Structure formats: structure tokens, C-alpha cells
Amino acid sequence: MFSSTAGERRTTLLRAEAHSLLQSSDFVRSPVMSQLLRYLVEEAISNPEHPPKAYQVAVDGLGRTEDFDVQADSYPRVQVGRLRKMLAAHYAAIGSEERLRIPIGHYAVEIQMDDGELEKKQSRSEPNINDLSAISSGKTEIDRWFNNRQTTLGLAVFLLIVGIGLVWSLNSFDRNLSGTETASQEYTLPPRIYFSSSQEGFPETALGNDTDIRLFLENAFAGSAQVRLAAAEMSGIFADEDQNAYRFESRLVAGPAGREVIFSLTSLTNNETIWSTTIAVPDSSADYPEKLGPIASRVAGVYGVIATDQRKHLPDDAMIGYACLLRFESYRANRDPDLLPVVESCIKKSLAVDPLDSRILAAASFMSFLREEATGRKPDPEAGLQYARRAMVRGREDSSAVFALARSSFFNGSCARGKEFAEKAVELDPYEATIQAQTGAYLFACDDPDGTKYLRRAIALDPRGSIVAETGLVLTLLAEGKDKEALIFAEKIIPSSTGVGPYYDIAMAMVYARNGRIAESRVSWDRLVAAYGSQKEESPEALLGRLIINPSLANRAYQLLSRTGVITE
């Protein structure tokens, strides 16, 4: 049992714990989080009955100007949420019973500890293994499998330091004598991403742009499930073929029409730059979501550069945690029947290791709603809801967990409740194009006009990767009777750049049919059947039902293509 501490003992514990945390590797690498932690701890000591408000956190704790608008900018809430995740991950990594916590919905720091553990800690000198921990900024509670893995790493390295060659094996995470991971183990957690920034030929007065841009993208990446934010500034990190990590660099330069920023992403496994782009420096921070949001989405989205690179190198036997999510997202996009048993197996294995992994539970919830044509069994909405609720145990700040509740609500006929959760998920990860796209698609099915807004936002975030949004917008325009506009937009879609799923051919078959171009509609339909048709005898209605998870949309597609003579039984 934990008991709250008070008075001088509480103050001593708060300062001692904060000091210990600030010496750990991830806090050393993240000056923004260190600054915020110091501020909240001192506030907890000096004003225990009056915790700071969002404005105070933004101005006094994070250095924002006095004209900061808490109604228009969620910066303090997002940063405190990120700090909360870092604290949870830190304690999970070292297996400590002592916890400095920030309750959800508050900016007050609490120190809680098992009194028995406190006495043990005071009576012994413990080795400092903070620098050996690999911390996941995406978790919000202690992950059992993650805890075991990181504790094993700390023990193994410590024993090696004192000259004892010993291999520890905890669950499925075995390590060899050098303390390195097997290829499949590298993919149990998302890769780390390190930041590096520089300016060429600008005075110190221009430094604000560089810092603000970096902080914006730090924030955006912190909400992504595809990366672990390793540091605010890259220092002493070199290419290492055993390190599953990336370096994200921003460089301010003088361009022909003014200041520009060059972004690049380098794989630290082989020291190869795998992506780069150049944009004009936004005029003000108010333009960052529009100008920099697509950068965050392109790099750290579900189908972004990093996830795509990870899939290219994913070992066949990597099945736990992040590796499973990579496989799940591939199936979600393509509905490949051969991939279905692999995904179901990896979800089962991942939950056996960590029953409360919010992202795996969100994936399990999605799988529960698949139609019988896809899985051979009837959908189980109740199981989908239960998985979604379990995902929320430690996923209240995880967009995939919150969206799982949205999906469950939509499928159970509650459009209003579904919209509420979907918009919360968008708020948690505003630069993930797939969440915007799914929100738009479900609202389209609910005949909610806001659906178009989310679909257009998804396309703006990732024009080359959001096939769900592109095809969803085509279908929305068709539903609105804007057949010609839908056709013009559809013919601009580049299917090779999306690389995801049957939706393109479905949308093209429908838009061509609505515009009277039946021969071209049949070409799209035949291509769909050739790529995604089952080997067994399958009717066109069954095929559409298997590929389109929304029954109403599947029926709409079938009725249109049947009525125009594109398909026949």
C-alpha cells in the first residue's frame, strides 16, 4: 500500500526524488522536461495547497510570454502529459516502488511511497542504473514486459561491469553476454528519435525560430506511437548498426526568397539519410500546425517514413509489442487474408506478455469488429468494447486507445458518443493522418457534415499516404451529389504513392460508375477482384463486405455497381 507523505519528510522526499530523476539519461537529454519537472516540484513544495494553473505552467514553468492564451493553445497540457509519460516509463525501467506522480487532469506533483520500501532504500546503497534504461515515452503506466526487459538490461550490464558474465532470461527477452538484443527484440519498442538543429549565418536574435520549431516537432513526435522521443538535442550520438534509432535534423538556412528550414531524417543503423525536405520558415507560431504538422505526419505517422523503414527491416520472428503494431497497421490498410492469422497471433502473444498494453488492446478491439467475410466469424462488438475499455486503463492519453472507444461507439450506433471520443483522439495526436481520416470516414457514415473537414485535414497532413482520407473524400463528394468534383479529385490520386489497400480501386469503380464511365469502372473492379478476391467462390457483395468494414458503405458500393451494370452475380 502507498501512503502520502507530508511536511518536512515530504519536502525531503520530493527534492531527493527530483534530484535522482534529473540525473537520469532521458531527463539529462531533455532540458524542457527537466525545467518543467523542477518547476512543478518547487511549486509542490512552496504551494502544496495551491497547485499551478495552466497559464502559470506555460509562463513560469515553460517560459512562454505573458500574452499566452490557454484557451487557444494546449502547450502546457501536452508538455505535462509528456512529462507524466516520462515519469511512468522511468519507474517502469528501474523497477522502483517509489513514484513521483502527476495525476491526470492536474498540474500538482505528488510523492507516494511504500513505507517499507523507504526503510529498505535508506538502509542500503543502490547502484545507479538510470543511464542504462531504455525509456519509452509512449507508456503511461508500468508495463510488465517492458519492466522485465529493462530490469534485465540493467542487471546484465552491471554484472558485466564487475566482471561476471551472466545471461539473464526474463519472459521472452533473452540477452547475450554482450548485453545486446537479437534482431527481433529490437522491435518490441518503437525506435528512438534524436533531435539535432543548427542555423547557418543567422544572428542570435533568430534563435527563437529554431527553438520554437524544434519544440513544436518534439511535441508532435511525443504523441506518436511510432517513435520514442530520446532527446531534445542530439549530442554524442553516432551511427550504430545495433541501434534501432533515427536522427531528425532541422537546419535554418538563407534561401532565395528568405529563410528556409531543411529537415532530414537519418537512420542510425546504417548512417543513411532516408528522407529530407525544405520549406519556408513559417511567419509565426500560429502557422506551425499548418506548415509543420505535415512534417510530423510524414516522419512519424502510422504510414510515415519511419514506420515504412521499420517494416522493410522487420524480422519474421518479431511478433511482440511495436512489431505487432507494424503488422497490424499493414493488415488494416491492405486486408491481406494471409496476414490475418499473423496479426491475430501477434496480438495474442503481445497481450500474454503485457495484458494492459493500450495500443495492442486498441488493435484487438479493431479486429473484433471485422466482418464475417474477412475472418470467417461473426463480429463481436461486445469484445471490441471490452478491449477498448481495457485499453483505457493506462491509455487515457493514448490516441489509439481513445479512438478504440470512438470506433466501438460508432459501430454500436452512437454517432454522438463516437464523435466525442474521436475528437478527443484527434486532440491527443493532431498530426496523425489516419486518425483524422478515420474520424472523417465514420462521420461520413453518420451523415455528419464535419466528416469532410477531417478528411481534408488528413489529406493536408499526408497527401501521399492517406488513401483512407482520399477515397473517403471521394465517397463524401459522391454522397453530396458532387459527382464531377469527385471525379476530378479521384483522378489526381496517385495509388503508387499511397501503397495501402483496396480502397483506391473501390473508390475509382464507384466514381467512374456515377459519372457514366462504365468501362473504366469495370477495369477498376476487375483489378480489385484480381488483387483481393478470395480463392474460394465469393460473390461481389461478399467481397465488398469483406473489404469495407462499414456495412452501410459496403451496401452503398454494391448497390451502385450493381445498378450501373459494372458487376453481376
Side-chain angles (χ1 to χ4, degrees):
M1 296 289 292
F2 283 109
S3 61
S4 297
T5 58
E8 292 183 4
R9 182 166 176 267
R10 175 178 173 275
T11 297
T12 300
L13 289 174
L14 277 169
R15 286 212 165 102
E17 186 63 15
H19 177 76
S20 174
L21 288 164
L22 291 169
Q23 304 308 307
S24 66
S25 57
D26 273 27
F27 277 94
V28 168
R29 292 171 177 158
S30 185
V32 174
M33 291 295 98
S34 296
Q35 174 184 332
L36 180 57
L37 177 62
R38 290 190 189 97
Y39 169 75
L40 292 178
V41 167
E42 288 306 314
E43 283 293 312
I45 292 171
S46 59
N47 298 296
E49 302 301 323
H50 303 284
K53 303 295 185 183
Y55 177 81
Q56 294 170 285
V57 173
V59 176
D60 298 332
L62 293 166
R64 287 313 206 211
T65 57
E66 293 184 358
D67 61 353
F68 182 82
D69 185 354
V70 294
Q71 300 301 320
D73 196 333
S74 62
Y75 182 70
R77 181 188 60 76
V78 171
Q79 291 288 34
V80 171
R82 182 180 156 210
L83 176 58
R84 187 179 292 117
K85 293 175 183 178
M86 287 184 68
L87 290 171
H90 170 82
Y91 290 116
I94 66 173
S96 172
E97 293 296 326
E98 183 178 348
R99 295 184 63 82
L100 189 151
R101 301 192 307 161
I102 306 172
I104 298 289
H106 299 275
Y107 297 118
V109 170
E110 294 179 354
I111 183 76
Q112 295 190 358
M113 181 183 296
D114 185 313
D115 292 335
E117 286 297 315
L118 174 61
E119 293 175 4
K120 292 177 184 177
K121 183 173 182 178
Q122 291 173 332
S123 67
R124 68 176 185 265
S125 175
E126 296 181 333
N128 181 4
I129 60 171
N130 288 333
D131 290 338
L132 304 178
S133 58
I135 300 173
S136 166
S137 63
K139 300 297 181 184
T140 57
E141 297 290 344
I142 293 179
D143 293 335
R144 186 179 67 200
W145 61 272
F146 178 49
N147 182 15
N148 288 343
R149 173 173 179 251
Q150 300 302 332
T151 302
T152 303
L153 175 58
L155 287 170
V157 177
F158 177 72
L159 291 174
L160 283 171
I161 290 173
V162 298
I164 300 176
L166 181 62
V167 177
W168 283 75
S169 175
L170 291 179
N171 294 327
S172 62
F173 302 111
D174 298 323
R175 296 184 177 274
N176 60 30
L177 290 175
S178 65
T180 60
E181 297 177 324
T182 65
S184 63
Q185 290 167 355
E186 290 181 359
Y187 292 87
T188 56
L189 294 174
R192 287 182 175 276
I193 186 167
Y194 295 91
F195 275 78
S196 176
S197 59
S198 63
Q199 301 191 94
E200 296 181 2
F202 292 108
E204 284 195 20
T205 53
L207 289 173
N209 282 118
D210 177 58
T211 301
D212 289 346
I213 287 172
R214 192 197 71 218
L215 288 176
F216 177 89
L217 289 169
E218 261 196 335
N219 253 354
F221 291 159
S224 170
Q226 306 306 312
V227 295
R228 290 180 291 156
L229 195 60
E233 187 70 31
M234 181 142 176
S235 176
I237 305 299
F238 303 99
D240 181 355
E241 63 181 10
D242 292 326
Q243 180 175 206
N244 186 23
Y246 298 85
R247 178 176 68 245
F248 181 82
E249 182 177 6
S250 62
R251 186 157 51 95
L252 283 177
V253 299
R259 289 185 301 167
E260 296 179 337
V261 57
I262 301 173
F263 296 108
S264 62
L265 185 72
T266 299
S267 168
L268 294 181
T269 302
N270 52 22
N271 201 28
E272 176 187 359
T273 298
I274 60 176
W275 172 87
S276 66
T277 193
T278 302
I279 66 169
V281 173
D283 294 331
S284 73
S285 58
D287 297 323
Y288 286 1
E290 179 185 352
K291 303 297 185 182
L292 300 180
I295 302 296
S297 179
R298 186 72 184 123
V299 171
V302 166
Y303 303 112
V305 178
I306 288 178
T308 299
D309 188 58
Q310 291 285 292
R311 288 187 183 93
K312 289 179 182 177
H313 303 100
L314 188 64
D316 291 341
D317 61 344
M319 298 286 283
I320 305 298
Y322 176 64
C324 184
L325 292 176
L326 290 173
R327 300 183 191 282
F328 163 72
E329 295 295 354
S330 292
Y331 175 77
R332 188 159 69 99
N334 292 287
R335 297 293 200 278
D336 181 355
D338 293 336
L339 193 54
L340 177 63
V342 177
V343 172
E344 291 180 328
S345 174
C346 80
I347 288 176
K348 183 177 180 180
K349 290 177 179 178
S350 294
L351 291 179
V353 173
D354 181 10
L356 291 178
D357 185 321
S358 59
R359 287 162 182 157
I360 295 292
L361 286 166
S365 177
F366 174 91
M367 301 297 283
S368 299
F369 289 106
L370 289 175
R371 301 184 71 186
E372 186 174 2
E373 293 87 345
T375 64
R377 59 179 179 272
K378 293 186 181 300
D380 191 344
E382 181 59 31
L385 175 60
Q386 292 308 314
Y387 279 126
R389 286 174 173 169
R390 282 175 57 196
M392 291 293 287
V393 170
R394 62 162 91 118
R396 283 175 289 179
E397 293 191 49
D398 179 350
S399 59
S400 64
V402 176
F403 197 85
L405 278 178
R407 184 185 298 111
S408 180
S409 298
F410 283 126
F411 271 90
N412 284 291
S414 177
C415 287
R417 191 68 169 156
K419 184 177 183 180
E420 177 185 347
F421 284 120
E423 290 181 334
K424 175 63 175 176
V426 167
E427 181 184 352
L428 287 170
D429 193 358
Y431 308 110
E432 176 51 67
T434 60
I435 291 179
Q436 301 272 356
Q438 290 177 82
T439 298
Y442 282 120
L443 292 180
F444 160 73
C446 290
D447 294 321
D448 188 320
D450 282 346
T452 304
K453 173 183 69 176
Y454 288 104
L455 293 170
R456 292 190 184 277
R457 177 59 176 158
I459 295 167
L461 283 172
D462 192 357
R464 297 178 296 177
S466 191
I467 191 70
V468 172
E470 291 173 315
T471 55
L473 185 56
V474 169
L475 297 175
T476 298
L477 293 171
L478 289 177
E480 293 173 350
K482 301 174 181 177
D483 298 350
K484 294 296 183 185
E485 184 180 347
L487 178 62
I488 292 170
F489 180 80
E491 291 188 321
K492 293 179 180 178
I493 300 174
I494 304 174
S496 60
S497 69
T498 61
V500 285
Y503 311 107
Y504 172 75
D505 287 321
I506 292 172
M508 295 308 294
M510 293 179 69
V511 76
Y512 282 137
R514 281 286 288 269
N515 283 274
R517 292 163 60 171
I518 305 304
E520 289 163 291
S521 178
R522 287 198 181 107
V523 169
S524 294
W525 174 258
D526 290 343
R527 188 167 55 232
L528 178 75
V529 173
Y532 299 100
S534 173
Q535 293 181 354
K536 63 184 180 180
E537 199 67 32
E538 185 176 38
S539 69
E541 185 175 13
L543 173 61
L544 288 168
R546 174 165 61 84
L547 297 177
I548 303 176
I549 198 168
N550 184 314
S552 174
L553 181 56
N555 183 62
R556 244 184 267 186
Y558 174 69
Q559 294 298 330
L560 170 62
L561 298 177
S562 296
R563 186 173 65 251
T564 54
V566 174
I567 59 176
T568 60
E569 294 294 335

